[in-house]
Amino acid sequence: MAEDESTSVGNGVSVQPPAQPELVEGMAHENPVVTDAGAGNSTAAPDPATATALARRLQHLSLSAQAIHADDFLNSHQSVAPPMHVSTTFRYSDDPDELRPWANINPNNPYDSHVYSRDSAPNTTRLEAVLTSILHGPSLTYSSGLSAFHALLVFLNPKRVAIGGGYHGCHGVIKVLSKLTGLQTVDLLDPDFDAALQPGDVVHVETPLNPTGEARDLAYYAGKAHAKGCYLTVDATFAPPPLLDPFRWGADAIMHSGTKYFGGHSDMLCGVLAVHPKHGGAWVRGLREERLVLGSVMGSFEGWLGVRSMRTLEVRVKKQSADAEKLVAWLEASRKEAGNVASEAVAEVRHASLQEAAKEGGWLAQQMPNGYGPVFAVYMKDPDFARRLPSKLTLFHHATSLGGVESLVEWRAMTDASVDKRLLRLSIGLEGFEDLRDDLAQGFEALRAERAAKASGAAVVGAGGANILGGV
């Protein structure tokens, strides 16, 4: 991509000259909101007047301070809470001499300038400003996590993707693209996976891993990828800030299903891509130009919900992760205790906190120093136990997804046919460790009672008596 050149449109705001993407001639834009001047040069200092630089201006402050104030420069109104904008289109200037293709400067706030909401809109722009700050790289939003992953692969256009395990939806996206481009997969779990890779290919690592919550060594995969001239992309959905910064460990791009922790309330769909600053505005401009025609833009209402949710991200995630670690430790101890009701039902607990590398000095302790994530897996001793335990719980909703303020448990076979039928995935919310522990304990007791009742009923039937369904 050619090096960018910036022009001034007044008020000291630098914008990009009209791009000419190969994808669709004439549909590119110049807009001051996302890309930095000189972004095509990875060593260029950002122009202090650009919106990306403004979004990063608070990175020396706490995560919460960034999440609450990184988008302040986009305020166009005196209201403290961001207003919700639902318009899909925005008026051009009344001055014919000010009309320029894909440049529609808002006189009230040049940084909050828009043409059409399939390109950008006020609420999603605010969310992208916050994400740019806390993820430490220019960020774009999408309609879902899978649409973000799809957009990333379309943009990078690799011939091969090294991937192993993780969310089945990402494998589905690769399968769809393989029909169009012949995209091949390489097994990331093969110790010699890098032997099959060529420059420009993608190594895609999900960490922590869905559905077990176990972590992978990003520095190891970054070394493998970059040695072959490949890109390391990281799905960090299970470890949002402040738990993990993949750029620190060599990632070229980060994706999140923002539906989960960025949304945090089980009421919005969102996908996020963040680009390492070394790739700068060149990647973001290309991704944004392609998003315009892929049509995978995030809705304005969801953008508003996202900004609302980001304000409490740090306090939510820290508590969720801490309570999850306590529950994991309690479950692991309980399953090993002879006579404990949990030991009768639980075969194994999996979570990053139980990995050997989580011990002091290990790569995982360094990679995730602020906690190991709010999601973990429990393998029951029998598939029927996994199927029945969720109905015995009161505080855990039996539902798919994760990341919300409410705790969820899912018999994972409901939505992923590839998993062990004994697996339960637990996403810890904000109810509190003690109450969630007690809910699980009574659930195990109820499961034991149900098994005993069935065994008793079977014995009665065997003896010729009436069973619990009636009859003989």
Side-chain angles (χ1 to χ4, degrees), residues 55-210:
R56 295 190 297 226
R57 76 198 185 285
L58 301 182
Q59 286 181 334
H60 62 290
L61 300 180
S62 70
L63 176 63
S64 287
Q66 295 176 62
I68 294 169
H69 293 290
D71 59 322
D72 281 354
F73 71 97
L74 291 166
N75 284 337
S76 299
H77 194 274
Q78 291 174 300
S79 57
V80 172
M84 182 171 63
H85 297 269
V86 296
S87 182
T88 59
T89 190
F90 304 86
R91 285 193 301 272
Y92 298 139
S93 173
D94 291 332
D95 183 354
D97 294 329
E98 293 294 323
L99 297 177
R100 300 172 61 192
W102 282 99
N104 189 33
I105 304 303
N106 176 1
N108 297 318
N109 187 342
Y111 298 105
D112 194 21
S113 299
H114 310 278
V115 173
Y116 186 56
S117 63
R118 185 157 40 83
D119 175 53
S120 68
N123 296 117
T124 50
T125 296
R126 292 186 75 130
L127 178 57
E128 288 169 354
V130 174
L131 291 165
T132 292
S133 183
I134 70 168
L135 295 178
H136 303 148
S139 302
L140 289 175
T141 55
Y142 291 83
S143 56
S144 69
L146 287 183
S147 66
F149 184 57
H150 173 252
L152 181 62
L153 291 183
V154 167
F155 175 73
L156 295 176
N157 196 24
K159 290 183 170 58
R160 286 158 288 270
V161 176
I163 188 172
Y167 181 45
H168 60 91
C170 289
H171 293 267
V173 170
I174 293 172
K175 185 175 180 181
V176 169
L177 285 176
S178 70
K179 295 196 303 181
L180 303 173
T181 67
L183 178 63
Q184 300 174 9
T185 58
V186 175
D187 185 3
L188 190 68
L189 303 182
D190 184 339
D192 299 317
F193 75 90
D194 52 320
L197 300 177
Q198 298 294 325
D201 287 342
V202 165
V203 176
H204 184 71
V205 178
E206 183 179 315
T207 187
L209 202 63
N210 189 359

Side-chain angles (χ1 to χ4, degrees), residues 449-464:
E450 184 179 70
R451 298 200 313 271
K454 286 185 177 180
S456 175
V460 170
V461 171

Side-chain angles (χ1 to χ4, degrees), residues 363-386:
W363 63 261
L364 181 49
Q366 298 176 56
Q367 184 172 291
M368 299 183 69
N370 297 319
Y372 296 107
V375 176
F376 61 91
V378 173
Y379 287 80
M380 305 295 279
K381 291 187 174 179
D382 186 279
D384 195 52
F385 296 173

Side-chain angles (χ1 to χ4, degrees), residues 306-460:
V307 172
R308 168 218 61 180
S309 298
M310 295 302 294
R311 309 311 198 201
T312 60
L313 175 69
E314 183 174 22
V315 292
R316 284 188 286 108
V317 171
K318 280 185 174 179
K319 177 173 173 54
Q320 288 169 298
S321 182
D323 284 351
E325 290 179 39
K326 292 177 185 177
L327 284 168
V328 166
W330 170 73
L331 281 166
E332 181 69 0
S334 297
R335 77 172 186 86
K336 295 177 179 178
E337 182 183 336
N340 188 294
V341 66
S343 69
E344 299 175 11
V346 176
E348 184 180 5
V349 183
R350 292 190 187 178
H351 186 240
S353 64
L354 297 178
Q355 292 177 243
E356 187 69 22
K359 294 181 179 178
E360 185 175 356
W363 63 261
L364 181 49
Q366 298 176 56
Q367 184 172 291
M368 299 183 69
N370 297 319
Y372 296 107
V375 176
F376 61 91
V378 173
Y379 287 80
M380 305 295 279
K381 291 187 174 179
D382 186 279
D384 195 52
F385 296 173
R387 183 188 188 106
R388 294 182 176 279
L389 179 63
S391 65
K392 309 292 184 287
L393 303 176
T394 300
L395 298 181
F396 287 85
H397 294 301
H398 190 197
T400 194
S401 199
L402 55 112
V405 295
E406 62 288 308
S407 293
L408 301 178
V409 59
E410 182 184 24
W411 181 40
R412 191 60 181 157
M414 289 291 290
T415 54
D416 185 352
S418 67
V419 301
D420 189 321
K421 301 301 185 289
R422 299 174 302 141
L423 191 154
L424 290 173
R425 186 183 71 184
L426 288 86
S427 168
I428 303 308
L430 296 177
E431 295 90 345
F433 161 66
E434 292 84 1
D435 290 334
L436 293 174
R437 176 201 60 198
D438 293 348
D439 193 30
L440 287 169
Q442 69 81 26
F444 290 132
E445 291 282 2
L447 191 62
R448 170 198 274 173
E450 184 179 70
R451 298 200 313 271
K454 286 185 177 180
S456 175
V460 170

